[in-house]
Amino acid sequence: MMSLGKTEPFPDDIFYAVFEIDDNVERQKYIEALRNVAREKKRFTEFNNIFRQYQLDYMQRMKQDGNRTRFTGQPVELSCGEWTADDLGVRTTRFDRNFQPVPVMACSHPLLPVEILKNVDTSEERITLAYFKSAAWQTITVDRSVCANTNRIVDALSQYGIEVTSDNAKNLVRYISDCVGCNPAALDPKRSINRLGWIGRAFTPYEADIRYEGDPEYEAVFKNVRESGDFGIWKKLCARLRENLQLRLMMAASFASVLLEPVGALPFVLQVWGESGTCKTVALMVCMSVWGNPRLGGLVKTMNMTRNAIMRHAAFLCSIPFAGDELQTIKDKWQGNFDQLIYQITEGVDRGRAKLHGGVEDTRTWKNSFIFTGEEPITKANSGGGSKNRVIEMALDGSLMEDGHYVSGIVQENYGFAGREFVEHIQGMEKSVLVEQYRELFEALCRLDTTDKQAMAMACLLLADRLASSLFFPGEPPVGMSEAGRYLQSVKDVDVAERAYQAVLNWAAKNPVRFEDPKDPSSPNKGEVWGKIERNEKRMTEVLVVNRDVLQGFLEQNRYDYTAVVRKWAEKERLIRNSQGKFIHQTKVYGIKSSYVKLALPEGDDSVDSNGFLIIDEVQETLPFI
């Protein structure tokens, strides 16, 4: 360069030599010598401009064909661009505006990305980082957004012992980004999931190429969905247990959970209730042994959970049944009425939540069955029609099995085979065939005195039972329509207005004195007057005339909505309108004028059985065994 003329181009080798010098002091001495010569030749500015371009070219080539990680015992070897990554940490050298070399530290110990996971539901990515601390390689998986934000990376990684501070956070973000960008093949995203259940035609955890990547608190449940023991022992035990119809329907509800999505049905609740000592908990374990280890606290949960925990657990299970033991333990949390719980879990959608760092979380959804046990019914006489509609309740006739302790031991040693085979059988069926079988059962049940949603849930149970019988218990006769029908709610049972009407009649029957004339010397009524009973000559029927405020107070006290039921009564002609077509009559009762509601009393008794339930015609059982 000393003999370089004023117009000759600078030779390439003088610039390349700069980047071949490892020692920072020697490198800087060489650069200053070049600058002095360029200054003597009056080409200093030209030299600086060209040197800057060589620096940019060198950094670009380092990204493409740069260094590789050289950590001892590293999980994978990656191209890391400009970074020197060895047992002394991750570092590089950059140049400032004055072309002075500046050492840059990204991390003082070995660290590199080893895996990228792409969620099949949300398409969001998470990244697994391997780092060497305390004489061992360790891993941590975080959101990709963590590794792209200098503030979040400090909060997320420092608590695990990774040496990242506000000083080196920017460099660490850059290093991880370079490693990911330079290694598209080695870090090709793998499919992951944070729940169980259907993913199109696939089903986790039975898909080998889909990784679980979710909350650590659910990882134990995820790992419990597996096979263990002897399938033959399980089938032999369950074949005997299924002689009990109620236990068989509980197992059907467990199998039916994975049918809901393929056939397009809604989540439902099967509640089994009875006194202590009837082996309800063991029966629940038998149901969940279909899918995996049915231990308490694993696949069988105590219902002593918060509202949010119930919804999160349902979303995690997604297609696997939710088994909840001892429902009465959360009775106080729901003020003794489970209507809201029933609505929330059977809607299959959790409420929206805001993210900590802005935005809204993806709404959690599920489509599974819920199997609950308890010592009392989950619905009450004043429960809403929607909750009655979504629940199949079974009151236990006696113990579900003879030796609960023995059964519990067997199913905790032999489990999980039936669920995998059942799912594989569904995957092998044409969806149209499965839906057709479901529709046949649904339409047959609809011909009974029940509602569409009750028929939907029971159709799923019957279909699941028949599929399970053909797969695991050949020769077992199917559950009949009459057997299943006894657990269905009738239309009147579900109809809130009808139940409210019956409640008002019972209330009036228990308080006849309040509908008598207090002025009558023979009447014992010396207190409040609620109304009277009169004859409607036009309708040729008896009419209950009730003070509006008294009636409204009674209905609201018993959790019936006055406005809603009065309108329904009018539609069914239970309520007699006034001459203007309104619900309220301004009339006198025993000399006092006020606002009254007039209800037509039933003319005769309906046919009832020995338990007081309406007798319904049974449907001819003509469906073949599926």
Side-chain angles (χ1 to χ4, degrees), residues 134-188:
S134 303
W137 280 98
Q138 304 171 57
T139 60
I140 177 178
T141 302
V142 296
D143 295 340
R144 279 295 298 270
S145 58
V146 168
C147 295
N149 186 294
T150 55
N151 293 323
R152 294 187 63 190
I153 198 170
V154 174
D155 296 336
L157 303 188
S158 61
Q159 60 181 324
Y160 292 98
I162 295 175
E163 299 300 332
V164 54
T165 66
S166 55
D167 292 331
N168 68 327
K170 184 177 180 180
N171 299 324
L172 184 56
V173 167
R174 179 75 173 272
Y175 163 69
I176 294 173
S177 176
D178 287 348
C179 285
V180 172
C182 292
N183 300 273
L187 296 178
D188 185 43

Side-chain angles (χ1 to χ4, degrees), residues 523-566:
S523 172
N525 187 9
K526 304 302 179 185
E528 294 181 358
V529 176
W530 297 347
K532 67 178 180 179
I533 298 176
E534 64 181 18
R535 179 76 177 174
N536 186 300
E537 296 300 335
K538 184 177 180 180
R539 291 197 175 202
M540 299 299 292
T541 184
E542 299 290 327
V543 175
L544 178 66
V545 182
V546 189
N547 182 282
R548 181 194 59 186
D549 292 345
V550 174
L551 176 63
Q552 185 173 355
F554 168 77
L555 290 173
E556 292 180 352
Q557 182 181 1
N558 288 272
R559 298 177 185 245
Y560 292 112
D561 186 271
Y562 169 82
T563 304
V565 298
V566 164

Side-chain angles (χ1 to χ4, degrees), residues 399-412:
S399 181
L400 291 166
M401 61 194 70
E402 294 180 359
D403 190 346
H405 182 72
Y406 169 77
V407 172
S408 172
I410 293 296
V411 296
Q412 288 188 79

Side-chain angles (χ1 to χ4, degrees), residues 317-358:
L317 294 171
C318 195
S319 303
I320 299 289
F322 185 118
D325 192 31
E326 303 298 349
L327 186 65
Q328 69 275 1
T329 57
I330 59 171
K331 182 178 179 180
D332 292 341
K333 294 180 182 179
W334 298 85
Q335 289 79 48
N337 188 297
F338 294 108
D339 283 10
Q340 188 178 3
L341 172 64
I342 295 169
Y343 285 129
Q344 288 184 351
I345 62 179
T346 56
E347 283 175 355
V349 180
D350 197 7
R351 63 182 182 180
R353 291 181 175 84
K355 289 183 178 180
L356 179 62
H357 297 281

